[in-house]
Amino acid sequence: MDFSAVQTRRHSVGVMVGSIKVGGRAPIVVQSMTNTDTADIEGTALQSAALAKAGSELVRITVDREESAKAVPHIRNRLDQMGVTVPLVGDFHYNGHTLLNDHPACAEALAKYRINPGNVGFKEKKDRNFSMMIETALKFNRPVRIGVNWGSLDQALLTQLMDKNAKLPEPAPARGVVHETVAQSGILSAARAEELGMKPNQIIISAKCSVVQDLIAVYRLLAARCEHALHLGLTEAGMGSKGIVASTAALGVLLQEGIGDTIRISLTPEPGGDRTREVIVAQEILQTMGLRAFAPMVIACPGCGRTTSTTFQELAQDIQFYVRDRLDVWRKDYPGFENLSLAVMGCIVNGPGESKHADIGISLPGTGELPTAPVYIDGKKTATLRGENISQQFKDIVEGYVRRRWG
């Protein structure tokens, strides 16, 4: 998939997080975060493995107390036993400097540390605590993410910029000062880390907001002022379609402008819901924008009065599930399969045309049409399916195509 309208990625310094490269023209990296109690070694390891299997290339875990820090090396070992090599990122707030200092096995097991400059310490303790975390990162040769969040913003910096703005002949709107504070917090903290000995290729910056337009404004400021790799994410995006739509709206604009090196979709799961949903959404955003390919795309029409039968809906769902089920096998045996495009269409209006645009497409009969389903491969009609076993016949065609093209 090649969308020429997508702007060229901006230049950023590449950062190695374990075996994964972030920035420096590397493919945009998908990451996620566990919601288990990190002290629960088995539960956290299993969820980390599930996220990795779904496609999360980095997994962040909360390290908030002694029990969590002690568990981290055991979680790493458990993942290694399962053959899961995904790098683990430690999420630290308030007491990160103490936990990293007191638990060197934790510091070593993590591939990156997330530092929030808004709550690393206050007044004279701030620089001391921040410096301690950077010194640990340098000791173990680990990169850091300077993770600013407008919900836990450095209040001293905000007050300073608000006072400075109030003295201007024409003060800027308060919202704009908040944007400036978020951006400056990330940039100033990265500069301090470099003063302490870190290199630009050891630092990633994020500046998360929960409102779409605020997020876009802040990241535009960051992209214009620094060359650090940037992590994108709309924080507290919400649940269900609201969270998906809001994240897509914000990240779509920034990615279109060439901004962003790694992304996370912060969805609130339904009670008992699957945490891997946020990974799939992140992948689908990147793939639909033509920035990366993770899995075959299934194009399907929405249905209308011409398609009163549920046949095409059932087939589209069946093929979507089939593709997901085959990912592990295809990924192992058929490199490049993720670029496959499939079309499941419901009637003759757009069915043949969309089918011809896809690698493989099927046009099912709409209301009043003949009970036949023409199949198109690489733009040419190659078969006509009939009967009650169309789904399996179509799967067989797809399987054979993948084997021939990428085998």
Side-chain angles (χ1 to χ4, degrees):
M1 189 183 300
D2 178 19
F3 292 172
S4 58
V6 178
Q7 292 188 20
T8 302
R9 294 267 303 287
R10 75 177 191 98
H11 174 71
S12 62
V13 178
V15 179
M16 293 303 301
V17 183
S19 61
I20 302 297
K21 185 176 182 180
V22 177
R25 305 297 188 188
I28 296 170
V29 173
V30 171
Q31 61 179 281
S32 57
M33 185 176 184
T34 60
N35 61 356
T36 55
D37 180 353
T38 305
D40 176 3
I41 295 170
E42 187 67 12
T44 303
L46 289 174
Q47 189 177 81
S48 298
L51 291 168
K53 183 178 180 180
S56 184
E57 293 156 307
L58 299 174
V59 172
R60 183 157 49 109
I61 60 177
T62 296
V63 188
D64 58 345
R65 63 192 196 279
E66 295 275 340
E67 293 80 2
S68 299
K70 291 177 181 178
V72 169
H74 299 290
I75 294 167
R76 178 70 271 167
N77 289 337
R78 184 71 182 94
L79 287 170
D80 292 341
Q81 291 170 3
M82 291 188 283
V84 178
T85 60
V86 65
L88 295 178
V89 178
D91 192 62
F92 295 98
H93 298 274
Y94 305 108
N95 59 352
H97 58 291
T98 301
L99 294 175
L100 284 171
N101 184 68
D102 293 350
H103 299 278
C106 168
E108 187 171 15
L110 294 169
K112 184 178 72 172
Y113 313 149
R114 184 277 176 100
I115 304 173
N116 183 341
N119 57 31
V120 75
F122 304 98
K123 296 184 179 180
E124 69 278 357
K125 294 181 180 180
K126 179 179 179 180
D127 188 64
R128 184 191 67 192
N129 296 347
F130 182 82
S131 298
M132 284 179 64
M133 296 187 76
I134 296 301
E135 287 167 4
T136 303
L138 289 169
K139 177 180 177 181
F140 290 98
N141 192 28
R142 297 294 189 264
V144 299
R145 168 156 72 93
I146 306 296
V148 184
N149 191 307
W150 79 338
S152 52
L153 196 53
D154 183 336
Q155 293 302 302
L157 179 60
L158 177 61
T159 300
Q160 175 188 335
L161 293 181
M162 282 290 189
D163 290 344
K164 183 178 179 180
N165 180 65
K167 296 175 182 177
L168 295 175
E170 295 183 15
R175 199 84 168 186
V177 179
V178 174
H179 296 164
E180 179 67 24
T181 305
V182 174
Q184 280 202 30
S185 180
I187 293 171
L188 292 173
S189 297
R192 177 58 181 150
E194 291 183 36
E195 288 177 2
L196 293 168
M198 297 208 83
K199 297 179 174 60
N201 66 356
Q202 295 176 300
I203 301 171
I204 297 170
I205 297 178
S206 68
K208 298 211 178 164
C209 307
S210 58
V211 176
V212 170
Q213 295 297 344
D214 293 308
L215 190 82
I216 293 170
V218 168
Y219 273 97
R220 282 173 173 167
L221 289 175
L222 279 175
R225 297 182 189 177
C226 76
E227 293 185 350
H228 289 98
L230 298 180
H231 167 68
L232 302 186
L234 187 75
T235 192
E236 291 95 34
M239 184 179 286
S241 60
K242 185 270 177 184
I244 294 172
V245 170
S247 294
T248 304
L251 271 60
V253 170
L254 293 168
L255 292 169
Q256 184 74 14
E257 295 179 3
I259 299 171
D261 301 288
T262 173
I263 68 172
R264 188 234 171 157
I265 307 302
S266 301
L267 296 181
T268 304
E270 305 286 344
D274 191 345
R275 189 68 165 180
T276 62
R277 180 61 179 151
E278 66 178 43
V279 179
I280 295 172
V281 172
Q283 291 178 330
E284 290 176 345
I285 289 173
L286 294 176
Q287 184 149 350
T288 54
M289 292 189 69
L291 295 169
R292 283 191 69 180
F294 298 92
M297 293 289 287
V298 180
I299 301 163
C301 75
C304 66
R306 298 177 64 92
T307 55
T308 53
S309 167
T310 60
T311 303
F312 86 95
Q313 299 168 336
E314 293 163 355
L315 180 60
Q317 183 181 58
D318 198 20
I319 296 303
Q320 188 77 58
F321 289 158
Y322 166 74
V323 166
R324 282 281 167 191
D325 288 342
R326 297 294 291 162
L327 285 182
D328 286 344
V329 174
W330 288 351
R331 190 175 290 116
K332 177 183 177 182
D333 297 334
Y334 307 116
F337 81 94
E338 60 273 7
N339 294 294
L340 174 68
S341 62
L342 304 172
V344 179
M345 305 302 294
C347 78
I348 199 171
V349 173
N350 292 316
E354 288 285 359
S355 296
K356 291 176 182 177
H357 288 309
D359 292 318
I360 310 174
I362 185 170
S363 180
L364 296 170
T367 305
E369 295 175 10
L370 293 174
T372 61
V375 175
Y376 298 82
I377 298 179
D378 294 330
K380 297 179 180 179
K381 182 179 175 181
T382 59
T384 300
L385 306 184
R386 298 180 177 86
E388 298 180 356
N389 200 27
I390 285 178
S391 178
Q392 187 57 53
Q393 294 178 63
F394 190 66
K395 291 176 188 176
D396 291 342
I397 291 172
V398 172
E399 193 72 35
Y401 183 90
V402 170
R403 185 168 55 250
R404 289 192 303 274
R405 182 169 174 182
W406 291 287

